[in-house]
Amino acid sequence: MKIGYVQFKPKFGDKEYNVSKMIDMASALDAQVIVFPELANTGYVFRSKGEVAALAESSDGPSIRKMQEFSKKKQALITFGFAERDGDSFYNSAAVLTPEGQVRVYRKVHLFNEEKLYFQRGEKFFTFTWRGFVFGVMICFDWIFPEAMRTLALMGAQVVLHPANLVLPYCQDAMITRCIENRVFEITANRIGTERGLKFTGASQITAPGGVILYRGTRTKEEAVAVEIDPELALQKSINNFNDLFKDRLPIAYKLS
Ligand code: ACM
């Protein structure tokens, strides 16, 4: 299976440009799974709830519909970040779209910095099966909570899809550890550029079980990258004849007393 990402610089507030750019860049990519950055259709740096309200969409909004069409045409599983509206509530969400027409939405659980002014946090992680493999989703700052990837891995995720708008430089290295301890594949799709004074760090990354970096992108260039993986490798949690990283867990020993 070929998995990949699109790293680009969204234009704040220009959903038409951003969605077209995402589709253009991904069209040339030879991949069955494609991850785009967090808040990819809107841009990241909101300055008021009014701005969020003006750009947010429901999970059947125009950006999702366009990306759904693309998913079908490309026959690829697509994940991209968008500002979600649900009644009077707003979420920093990721849409998961399959070419078969399924739509799932993950709402970011761990909000970063001023996101807390504009979005409500999500409340749960989920996994889903597509073409025989199990996938999980997390968004950007979720990386700093080991529980996020651990939860997805314990739920059976073989490949973790990770739209991001990273501003700190640590996530890519942390993903090496996450993939050592959970033995999963992960795709971190980051954005580049500076928006309203905030600089994003690029260097999108695809990491394999054991913490092997399959690809790390540039810090400053737009790029679309795919690599071939065998997701079955993520089912193997033993590291020697005596240690299985999941079977050796002892939740009773982790109980806070
Ligand atoms: C982040 O969660 N966008 C840093």
Side-chain angles (χ1 to χ4, degrees), residues 38 44 108 112 115 140-141 165:
E38 175 184 13
Y44 180 79
K108 188 176 186 178
F112 179 69
E115 291 171 29
C140 205
F141 194 52
N165 275 188

Side-chain angles (χ1 to χ4, degrees), residues 65-115:
R65 287 202 303 273
K66 271 191 209 145
M67 293 305 286
Q68 239 180 331
E69 254 171 56
F70 176 68
S71 162
K72 198 166 176 188
K73 192 164 152 219
K74 184 82 180 161
Q75 284 296 297
L77 172 72
I78 300 290
T79 301
F80 75 100
F82 74 110
E84 184 192 359
R85 169 195 286 278
D86 182 3
D88 292 331
S89 300
F90 300 100
Y91 299 90
N92 178 341
S93 296
V96 179
L97 312 172
T98 70
E100 294 79 24
Q102 287 158 302
V103 180
R104 296 286 304 264
V105 173
Y106 164 68
R107 293 173 170 168
K108 188 176 186 178
V109 168
H110 303 102
L111 297 173
F112 179 69
N113 206 350
E114 292 180 5
E115 291 171 29

Side-chain angles (χ1 to χ4, degrees), residues 120-175:
Q120 276 182 242
R121 69 174 178 200
E123 286 179 351
K124 62 172 190 276
F125 292 94
F126 64 83
T127 55
F128 61 96
T129 301
W130 184 68
R131 299 197 175 164
F133 302 118
V134 182
F135 295 82
V137 199
M138 53 192 249
I139 298 178
C140 205
F141 194 52
D142 285 330
W143 72 264
I144 209 166
F145 301 87
E147 296 89 342
M149 178 103 65
R150 178 64 111 198
T151 301
L152 293 171
L154 289 174
M155 288 194 287
Q158 293 161 272
V159 182
V160 173
L161 315 171
H162 183 218
N165 275 188
L166 294 160
V167 292
L168 300 174
Y170 315 118
C171 170
Q172 292 86 343
D173 289 341
M175 281 303 174

Side-chain angles (χ1 to χ4, degrees), residues 48-70:
S48 69
K49 255 216 158 132
E51 282 189 348
V52 178
L55 292 168
E57 296 180 20
S58 65
S59 55
D60 60 357
S63 301
I64 306 252
R65 287 202 303 273
K66 271 191 209 145
M67 293 305 286
Q68 239 180 331
E69 254 171 56
F70 176 68

Side-chain angles (χ1 to χ4, degrees), residues 30 35 39 42 68 85 90 93 105 111 121 153 172 177 200 207-208 218 246:
D30 176 16
V35 184
L39 293 169
T42 58
Q68 239 180 331
R85 169 195 286 278
F90 300 100
S93 296
V105 173
L111 297 173
R121 69 174 178 200
Q172 292 86 343
T177 303
F200 299 90
T207 321
T218 66
F246 280 18

